[in-house]
Amino acid sequence: MFFIPGIVISAVTFPGVVVHELAHQICCRICRIPVYQVKYFQFQNPCGYVIHESTSNPWKNLLTGLGPFFVNTILGMLITFPAYFCLWGKGKYLYGYGKMGGAMSVVCLLLYWLGLSILMHAFPSTGDAKSMIESIMKNPDVNVFVKIITAPFIILIYVGAVGSVVWLDLFYGIGMSMLLPKLFEGMMFW
């Protein structure tokens, strides 16, 4: 494996950063947590952030921390779904692009890059994990059941952060981009 600075990866996959921060903001809105400042993308660390009011509700903290995982995963899978067939399989049968082959391939490549970029930024950040530790795990008023539910998510966030050094976020993105098409192929082409 080779090392590429995180800021370069984030610049190349900037749509994923934008969707990640947008997911945090949407979850704050759903939970009625006031948002003070949002930076969807910038060329510095962190590449994006959402500053919001803290809340003592552990479920709201869990949702706002994990929101990007679910939003980025679902959106990225939906965007890469049509591109997958066009680029890696049965595109000529599904889309019948014939004479538009070259133009359609470019569109499919752009769609795949967009979806993969979004999928690569599905993992919550270590800042999200630290927020959950402070607001849920260290809070004596939070029920032990909620702490038991939250602990594995925090561990997985740190595993994802460490794994990104060996391209776990890229492998996750590629894997998720193939999951929905493979399920669809299994149902439709037997």
Side-chain angles (χ1 to χ4, degrees), residues 22-190:
L22 185 60
H24 278 307
Q25 186 180 21
I26 289 169
C27 289
C28 284
R29 298 285 189 229
I30 289 170
C31 293
R32 299 183 193 270
I33 299 171
V35 173
Y36 301 130
Q37 185 178 11
V38 179
K39 182 66 80 168
Y40 293 112
F41 185 78
Q42 61 183 0
F43 287 103
Q44 57 189 15
N45 193 10
C47 290
Y49 58 84
V50 175
I51 298 174
H52 58 83
E53 186 175 275
S54 62
T55 178
S56 59
N57 184 319
W59 297 110
K60 289 181 179 182
N61 283 320
L62 190 61
L63 178 64
T64 57
L66 296 178
F69 178 76
F70 298 109
V71 170
N72 282 50
T73 298
I74 292 167
L75 184 60
M77 287 173 72
L78 290 174
I79 290 172
T80 57
F81 182 73
Y84 175 88
F85 288 108
C86 179
L87 296 171
W88 282 229
K90 301 172 176 33
K92 61 184 174 188
Y93 305 115
L94 289 175
Y95 301 114
Y97 54 77
K99 294 178 184 175
M100 289 186 56
M104 187 58 115
S105 294
V106 170
V107 169
C108 289
L109 279 171
L110 287 172
L111 266 180
Y112 196 78
W113 162 77
L114 177 64
L116 185 62
S117 297
I118 291 169
L119 284 164
M120 285 180 63
H121 290 278
F123 294 157
S125 67
T126 55
D128 298 326
K130 289 174 187 172
S131 174
M132 286 189 263
I133 289 170
E134 289 300 317
S135 64
I136 298 172
M137 303 306 282
K138 291 185 177 180
N139 186 343
D141 298 330
V142 173
N143 182 320
V144 92
F145 174 71
V146 176
K147 291 180 181 186
I148 290 170
I149 290 173
T150 304
F153 289 113
I154 293 171
I155 292 167
L156 286 173
I157 291 169
Y158 280 108
V159 167
V162 170
S164 69
V165 173
V166 291
W167 297 91
L168 180 62
D169 43 3
L170 175 63
F171 295 131
Y172 175 81
I174 292 170
M176 289 294 102
S177 74
M178 294 169 55
L179 180 64
L180 195 57
K182 289 295 183 185
L183 290 173
F184 183 76
E185 272 184 341
M187 292 186 311
M188 298 302 292
F189 299 111
W190 273 23

